[in-house]
Amino acid sequence: MRSDTVKKGATRCAHRALFNADGFGPEDLSKPLIGVCNSFNEIIPGHIHLKSIAEAAKLGVAAAGGTPIEFPAIGVCDGIAMGHTGMKYSLASRELIADSIEAVAMASGFDGLILIPNCDKVVPGMIMAAARLNIPSVVVSGGPMLAGRFHGKDISVSQAFEAAGKFAAGKMTEDEMTDLEAHACPGCGSCAGLFTANTMNCLAEVLGMALPGNGTIPAAYNGARLQLAKRAGTVLMNLIKNDIKPRDILTLQAIENAITVDMGIGGSSNTVLHLTAIAHEAGIELPAPLFDEISKHTPYITKLSPAGTHHMQDLNEAGGISAVMHELSKKNLIHTDALTVTGTVAERISSAKILREDVIRTVDNPYRATGGIAILKGNLCPDYAVVKASAVAEDMLTYSGKAKCYDSEEAAIDAIMKGEIKDGDVVVIRYEGPKGGPGMQEMLNPTAAITGAGLKVGLITDGRFSGASQGACIGHISPEAMEGGPIALIKDGDIISIDIPNRKLELKVSDEELAKRKAQWQRPEPKIKTGYLARYARMTTSASTGAIVK
């Protein structure tokens, strides 16, 4: 056992003495030592109930013959961090999470890991750590929040963000806004729509690192979630017995399955960043064009919030991710021989079926014949750009308008709230990439304000969008402005053409004019010059390579 390095032999006398101080005696130390990484905190609604999930997982480990040892991981609530300096830390926290798990696991000699995330960057950060460490690991999340109810309709946090735009446009009173915010988020769990956290928890299943139901069983279904956590502990001990490690599971086939399901369910555009980063940790090169290749032949078969009115509880009732995978496998789009923590994908989905066809459509009757995410290229994004095509209205799939440029999210929000943005514009928000932000903050505030105000505009950025964003919102534009990418060269009034069906994003300016502007461009001073974000800005890569730290 790996843990023998910290508990066996005369030279480990002091180590055993320290374990004794923790309450672990000789019988405990004779068993595999299992790290239980719990991201519980009292800030994130998705995490406030994770103590009970951890206790259940530890019971499962102990019952199967292991010694569970709990330790923490940090987490940032993207919703609370949204729209201010705090959002710059969100993506950057993914690296801190992976690094800290590596540090504790290696320093402690753990034989295996139970990883308990729930929200946006914690899920990929933990999977990245598992791939990097390559010791037996199982992910078990806290589950999604139930949808709120407002005026007879299911709602989630996205409607609360949109309320600001409606209020500013005079479409909602302050009392109505206050009433909505009291009902949008009814309790624990990751926000109820198919936003980044829930997308990644679903993809943890597809990647094979989590059990069926991990992404869809609501957090409020306490009994089912505790059973899932207990089973995760048992499954982990079986992985240790059979020496099955994350890199045996996180293969190219598994990554392709995850991309396929992501396209089929219309998941968050942030998954392009996260799956690329996970693949990197697993030693797999994942070119961006692969996302688009898979998207082109994957039918879009669910339409969850923010693209539609259904929420995660509906997907769970409809058969969950296993039903989605089973349906997609009918067109041979799923590698059914891929390994999971509980056997092959084929074994996992053999008895799965669609239980609500209003939530999961068949592959012969999809919402669209192609996937929910599109990768765009053009002179504005020589590397690539990403759009959640499933959340774009049909009449906005092709669009052209005049640029209105802002060098920060704050400046753009100010312009939107003052009514300076008009129908027909293309809002350009730049210097918000991994290096320029720094941290590539999410842009839910401006997109929600635009939606709430009922504006028909495009929005492009070298930052990224929340999974709750909707509309012609194109992010991850690479190279970013801070590296002198073409987005830095746009001027107010330039014509920008968006063509999602043909995967094009073009600035209607000649090559000669762009070259002249590039020669005159000067890199601006960094927005943040000290602390973690300054280090992150120096070390991070482009969005096109997953914004990983090197």
Side-chain angles (χ1 to χ4, degrees), residues 69 73 96 171 175 205 280 284 300 305 352-353 403 423 485 508:
I69 304 174
L96 287 175
K171 297 181 179 182
D175 285 346
E205 286 185 45
H280 170 77
I284 299 167
Y300 171 44
S305 174
K353 59 182 178 180
D423 285 354
K508 298 301 183 179

Side-chain angles (χ1 to χ4, degrees), residues 204-239:
E205 286 185 45
V206 184
L207 288 167
M209 291 297 296
L211 301 173
N214 179 74
T216 60
I217 298 172
Y221 294 4
N222 188 57
R225 291 238 58 112
L226 294 181
Q227 290 177 53
L228 190 75
K230 287 178 186 176
R231 187 171 174 232
T234 304
V235 166
L236 176 66
M237 297 310 296
N238 189 57
L239 293 177

Side-chain angles (χ1 to χ4, degrees), residues 3 7 20 62 71 146 158 226 248 294 425 465 508-509 511 515 534 541:
S3 59
K7 64 188 185 184
N20 285 338
F71 68 99
L146 291 173
S158 60
L226 294 181
D248 299 321
I294 291 174
D425 290 339
F465 292 109
K508 298 301 183 179
V509 173
D511 291 344
T541 66

Side-chain angles (χ1 to χ4, degrees), residues 197-210:
N198 289 327
T199 303
M200 287 307 303
N201 275 324
C202 288
L203 297 190
E205 286 185 45
V206 184
L207 288 167
M209 291 297 296

Side-chain angles (χ1 to χ4, degrees), residues 60-99:
V61 168
T67 296
I69 304 174
E70 188 175 342
F71 68 99
I74 66 162
V76 169
C77 179
D78 279 29
I80 293 172
M82 199 75 66
H84 60 93
T85 301
M87 180 45 72
K88 297 179 186 294
Y89 286 87
S90 174
L91 182 60
S93 75
R94 185 188 70 180
E95 315 307 314
L96 287 175
I97 291 160
D99 291 350

